[in-house]
Amino acid sequence: YEQYKRFEFLDKLNNYLDLKNSAVLEFGSASGQMTEILSKLTKKVVAVDGSSEFIRIAKERVHDAENVIFYESYFENFTLDEKFNCLILHHILEHIENPLILLPKLSTYLKKDGVIAISVPNAHALSRQLAVKMGLLDSVYDLTENDKHHGHFLVYDWKILEEQIINSGFSIIGKHGLAFKLFSDKQNIEMLNANIIAEEQIKGLWQLADELPEFAGAIMI
């Protein structure tokens, strides 16, 4: 299910640049699932993560692909004298305590016509609204136990993310909903495993996420 989210993200990103001819800087490569896809779709990938163990796993996953370079660094401390066609922060900002320290620095890595693609969970996702109705959350902005487990500091909405991006000196050229869902990720995974839903439903939801972005599971700018 998480891999489908990555495919949706990249499918929508491809509307703004030619990934096949792009050099990409990925922040937060983790165990390398997105990095592996990028290694096959792009010209070059530079992947940054703060965990040496994650980098070890990611290197094994990409099978030492010649077009992938890894750096172990916290994002705020990372420096590199190189510019890229695209920067990717897929579900990263919610893990950053002060995004306004990191975001303005990103322009130093961006070519003149480059694109930054950012995704974060959406506070107003139908699944969060359902959790409020069920009494599991007091507010859609509350951190769930799953949020806390994964080290999230904030639940974003469109206004918060747009303001952070604009205040960091960037122009917004596109907005997309991602991962449209009524139920939790765990429940969706169980439904996929039980063949209750399949790829046809998942890809249909990609379209609904763009038609009803205010209610999508995640926000992409």
Side-chain angles (χ1 to χ4, degrees):
Y1 185 70
E2 291 298 324
Q3 198 73 331
Y4 276 122
K5 290 183 184 180
R6 297 180 186 101
F7 286 132
E8 180 183 4
F9 176 88
L10 293 173
D11 181 74
K12 292 176 178 180
L13 172 58
N14 213 31
N15 291 315
Y16 302 94
L17 77 165
D18 179 11
L19 281 171
K20 287 189 295 185
N21 293 305
S22 294
V24 175
L25 176 59
E26 179 195 11
F27 285 91
S29 51
S31 55
Q33 288 97 333
M34 176 74 86
T35 317
E36 182 182 22
I37 303 170
L38 290 170
S39 72
K40 298 171 183 176
L41 288 182
T42 68
K43 185 167 63 176
K44 178 181 180 180
V45 185
V46 172
V48 184
D49 202 274
S51 165
S52 58
E53 179 61 13
F54 268 149
I55 289 176
R56 182 191 66 78
I57 295 168
K59 283 182 176 179
E60 290 180 359
R61 188 181 297 277
V62 302
H63 306 295
D64 295 319
E66 292 183 359
N67 64 335
V68 180
I69 300 170
F70 288 95
Y71 287 93
E72 181 186 342
S73 174
Y74 290 115
F75 307 140
E76 296 88 343
N77 301 333
F78 179 69
T79 57
L80 186 67
D81 187 21
E82 186 175 352
K83 294 187 183 294
F84 298 83
N85 305 101
C86 181
L87 275 59
I88 288 178
L89 292 88
H90 178 57
H91 284 292
I92 295 302
L93 286 189
E94 66 268 26
H95 298 270
I96 306 294
E97 191 166 6
N98 192 341
L100 289 176
I101 292 177
L102 173 65
L103 282 169
K105 294 181 180 179
L106 298 182
S107 61
T108 61
Y109 306 115
L110 203 61
K111 291 184 177 180
K112 188 175 181 181
D113 58 349
V115 172
I116 301 176
I118 296 171
S119 64
V120 292
N122 179 19
H124 294 282
L126 288 182
S127 56
R128 281 187 173 268
Q129 295 195 49
L130 179 58
V132 171
K133 299 298 184 188
M134 294 169 64
L136 301 176
L137 294 175
D138 291 330
S139 162
V140 292
Y141 294 96
D142 287 349
L143 292 171
T144 66
E145 288 306 312
N146 192 50
D147 290 328
K148 295 172 185 175
H149 173 72
H150 286 96
H152 294 186
F153 287 99
L154 177 67
V155 186
Y156 278 85
D157 60 22
W158 285 102
K159 183 174 184 290
I160 295 169
L161 182 59
E162 288 180 35
E163 286 180 351
Q164 287 188 356
I165 290 170
I166 290 168
N167 290 340
S168 298
F170 299 107
S171 300
I172 295 172
I173 61 168
K175 300 192 291 185
H176 295 274
L178 292 176
F180 195 90
K181 60 182 182 176
L182 178 59
F183 303 111
S184 70
D185 285 356
K186 180 176 182 292
Q187 289 168 315
N188 283 317
I189 290 166
E190 289 173 353
M191 286 192 287
L192 272 171
N193 290 339
N195 295 317
I196 296 169
I197 60 173
E199 186 169 303
E200 292 78 10
Q201 283 85 6
I202 297 292
K203 289 192 172 180
L205 290 169
W206 292 7
Q207 298 175 54
L208 278 178
D210 273 347
E211 292 175 12
L212 300 166
E214 64 272 29
F215 302 123
I219 294 165
M220 176 179 178
I221 289 183

